[in-house]
């Protein structure tokens, strides 16, 4: 058992659902090593049958990374903890390397979890990581003279206590309310060592520079201010999401496949901010775009909607405002070309294909205007229904259309809609609006959070 105050690990993990077990992402650094041993301590005392798997991702970006992974494996073997090392293989991109490495890391972690039937991944991000993240984002905002126009300052909420990856596996950060120094002191008392990543002190990178500034004069004051800003931004983001979800529930419907209708009352809503946020999500979802529609352009579009009829395009989505409603559908430009259907593929950012063993000779392509004309849809203007249907995905074999995503009967091959801006990463701040959009378009329901509330009872305040 760890030499800690008796309820330390219980306070961190007591509200988690470990019924399927847990994957601990362990790099060998102090934070992830402390996470692993705190988790093992908790499970040994409270749920000894729960499955625990430590996973180390070797990105292959530093000469010593393989040796570090072996050191983690040895440490786990000595403590009786199941461990697996997964390697990010293949060519690395010349640009956008951090984002690509992050995507590869979570993809490999999710694959390891699913192979074991585990639905929960834990990472060792701490309150210090949170403060560093917020300060970096704040500096970028100040550098441009305004908050990022794309997310309207949403990023200042920092890292969420949990993030749903690929709409299937939760990634949770139970140490966001804990200081790194506390974890290191605990490891020292227990005689457990850790690996120091040389990039953590390399001043060529932004995070080490911010970390060094927090360790200097006035650092504690800057830390407290950053955490306070994070707490405020997180609360604002969640509140705005709830209001957007209410707007979607009150005014949005899907009268035919690929077509979203908003009541005209949506444009005169008293809650302009909530309505604009809902519009940004719907535009991104209909257009299959992985980020919310630009805030400034969405705000201007919403103001134009209040003035009367219009036809505009934003985030690959046509907005056709008429007296009968405001209609959204995927524009006809830049649709994917016909291609072999692949199991699990995300088509046009809007639909996920599940083939199992039925992929022989199948091609996926837009339904097209000719086939769309043969499909009768009532209740909406016929031209709108046809244009929306023409951009929907269809499965073909030998030139014959087998089924498409809008079939009234269950298709032989599932083609499931996705909430595009959250299809890969859904922070727990955004659960309410994401769930509202999912219900609207018929996407699979969200798996339940691994703990009762997204902020875990005010984890921000524990920092």
């Amino acid at each position: 058992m760890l030499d800690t105050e008796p309820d330390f690990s219980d306070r961190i993990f007591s509200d988690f659902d470990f019924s399927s077990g847990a994957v601990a992402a362990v790099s060998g650094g102090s934070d992830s090593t402390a996470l692993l041993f705190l988790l093992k301590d908790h499970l040994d005392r409270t749920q000894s049958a729960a499955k625990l798997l430590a996973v180390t991702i070797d990105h292959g970006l530093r000469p010593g990374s393989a040796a570090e992974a072996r050191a983690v494996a040895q440490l786990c073997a000595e403590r009786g903890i199941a461990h697996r090392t997964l390697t990010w293989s293949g060519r690395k991109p010349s640009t956008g390397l951090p984002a690509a490495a992050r995507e590869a890391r979570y993809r490999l972690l999710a694959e390891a979890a699913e192979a074991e039937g585990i639905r929960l991944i834990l990472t060792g991000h701490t309150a210090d990581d949170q403060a560093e993240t917020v300060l970096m984002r704040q500096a970028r905002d100040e550098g441009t003279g305004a908050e990022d126009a794309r997310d309207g300052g949403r990023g200042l909420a920092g890292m969420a206590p949990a993030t749903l990856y690929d709409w299937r596996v939760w990634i949770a950060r139970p140490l966001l309310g804990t200081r790194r120094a506390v974890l290191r002191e605990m490891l020292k008392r227990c005689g457990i060592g850790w690996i120091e990543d040389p990039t953590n002190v390399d001043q060529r990178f932004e995070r080490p520079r911010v970390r060094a500034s927090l360790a200097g004069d006035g650092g504690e004051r800057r830390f407290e201010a950053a955490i306070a800003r994070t707490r405020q931004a997180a609360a604002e983001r969640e509140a705005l999401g709830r209001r957007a979800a209410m707007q979607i529930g009150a005014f949005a419907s899907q009268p035919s496949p690929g077509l979203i209708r908003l009541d005209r009352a949506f444009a005169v809503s008293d809650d302009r901010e909530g309505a604009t946020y809902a519009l940004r999500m719907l535009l991104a979802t209909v257009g299959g775009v992985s980020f919310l529609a630009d805030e400034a352009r969405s705000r201007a579009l919403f103001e134009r909607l209040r003035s009367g009829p219009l036809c505009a395009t934003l985030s690959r989505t046509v907005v056709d405002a008429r007296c009968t409603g405001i209609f959204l559908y995927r524009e006809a430009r830049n649709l994917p070309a016909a291609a072999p259907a692949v199991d699990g593929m995300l088509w046009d950012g809007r639909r996920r294909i599940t083939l199992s063993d039925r992929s022989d000779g199948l091609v996926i392509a837009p339904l097209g205007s000719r086939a769309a004309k043969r499909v009768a849809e009532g209740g909406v203007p016929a031209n709108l229904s046809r244009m929306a249907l023409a951009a929907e995905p269809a499965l073909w074999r030998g030139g014959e259309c087998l089924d498409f995503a809008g079939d009234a009967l269950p298709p032989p091959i599932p083609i499931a809609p996705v909430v595009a801006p959250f299809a890969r990463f859904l922070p727990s701040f955004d659960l309410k609006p994401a769930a509202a959009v999912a219900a609207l378009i018929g996407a699979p329901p969200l798996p339940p959070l691994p703990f009762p509330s997204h902020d875990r009872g005010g984890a921000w305040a524990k920092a």
Side-chain angles (χ1 to χ4, degrees), residues 241-253:
R242 286 196 300 268
R243 288 156 51 196
M246 292 175 63
Q247 297 281 332
I248 293 167
F251 298 117
S253 61

Side-chain angles (χ1 to χ4, degrees), residues 209-330:
R209 293 196 299 271
V210 172
R211 186 169 296 179
S213 73
L214 288 174
D217 292 341
E220 194 62 25
R221 176 184 54 79
R222 293 187 70 211
F223 170 86
E224 295 292 346
I227 292 298
R229 180 69 183 93
T230 299
R231 190 181 307 123
Q232 177 186 351
E236 292 172 352
R237 179 165 164 178
E238 186 186 12
L240 183 60
R242 286 196 300 268
R243 288 156 51 196
M246 292 175 63
Q247 297 281 332
I248 293 167
F251 298 117
S253 61
Q254 184 174 245
S256 65
L259 186 66
I260 298 298
R261 179 186 178 275
L262 294 166
D263 293 347
R264 287 298 317 180
F266 173 81
V268 294
S269 169
D270 292 334
D271 184 2
R272 295 191 183 193
E273 286 192 1
T276 300
Y277 191 32
L279 181 62
R280 295 177 68 196
M281 263 182 281
L282 292 174
L283 289 168
T285 297
V286 173
V289 177
S290 60
F291 46 83
L292 297 181
D294 179 89
E295 184 183 28
R297 295 179 66 190
S298 298
R299 193 179 299 278
L301 175 60
F302 181 73
E303 293 303 319
R304 291 177 61 197
L305 289 174
R306 300 171 72 92
S307 302
L310 67 83
C311 190
T313 303
L314 181 58
S315 290
R316 307 199 312 183
T317 297
V318 176
V319 182
D320 192 330
R322 307 183 177 194
C323 60
T324 55
I326 302 165
F327 297 91
L328 313 179
Y329 59 90
R330 171 70 161 94

Side-chain angles (χ1 to χ4, degrees), residues 23-29 32-37 39-40 44 52-57 68-85 192-193 195:
V23 163
V26 185
S27 66
S32 62
T33 300
L35 168 76
L36 176 63
F37 286 101
L39 179 58
K40 178 171 171 52
D44 283 349
L52 172 60
L53 174 66
V55 175
T56 303
I57 306 300
E68 291 170 1
R70 289 193 295 271
V72 175
Q74 178 62 34
L75 179 65
C76 290
E78 293 170 356
R79 306 292 177 126
I81 301 172
H83 176 271
R84 185 175 303 162
T85 297
I192 300 172
I195 298 166

Side-chain angles (χ1 to χ4, degrees), residues 160-174:
T163 297
L164 184 62
Y165 174 77
D166 212 26
W167 213 260
R168 56 196 170 104
V169 179
W170 282 106
I171 301 165
R173 305 174 179 94

Side-chain angles (χ1 to χ4, degrees), residues 133-155:
T133 297
V134 172
L135 288 171
M136 288 189 293
R137 293 176 180 175
Q138 198 166 12
R140 291 169 197 152
D141 291 343
E142 292 168 354
T144 59
E147 290 186 342
D148 190 320
R150 177 170 290 174
D151 74 3
R154 286 161 40 86

Side-chain angles (χ1 to χ4, degrees), residues 72-137:
V72 175
Q74 178 62 34
L75 179 65
C76 290
E78 293 170 356
R79 306 292 177 126
I81 301 172
H83 176 271
R84 185 175 303 162
T85 297
L86 300 177
T87 303
W88 181 26
S89 57
R91 296 182 62 181
K92 309 299 189 292
S94 56
T95 60
L97 183 59
R102 174 176 179 260
E103 171 64 31
R105 177 165 62 254
Y106 287 127
R107 174 178 56 79
L108 292 169
L109 287 168
E111 290 173 359
E114 290 198 311
E116 298 292 333
I118 295 173
R119 298 187 298 274
L120 177 61
I121 298 165
L122 302 181
T123 70
H125 294 103
T126 66
D128 299 80
D129 293 310
Q130 185 75 292
E132 293 159 12
T133 297
V134 172
L135 288 171
M136 288 189 293
R137 293 176 180 175

Side-chain angles (χ1 to χ4, degrees), residues 58 62-69:
D58 179 5
R62 292 186 291 103
S65 62
E68 291 170 1

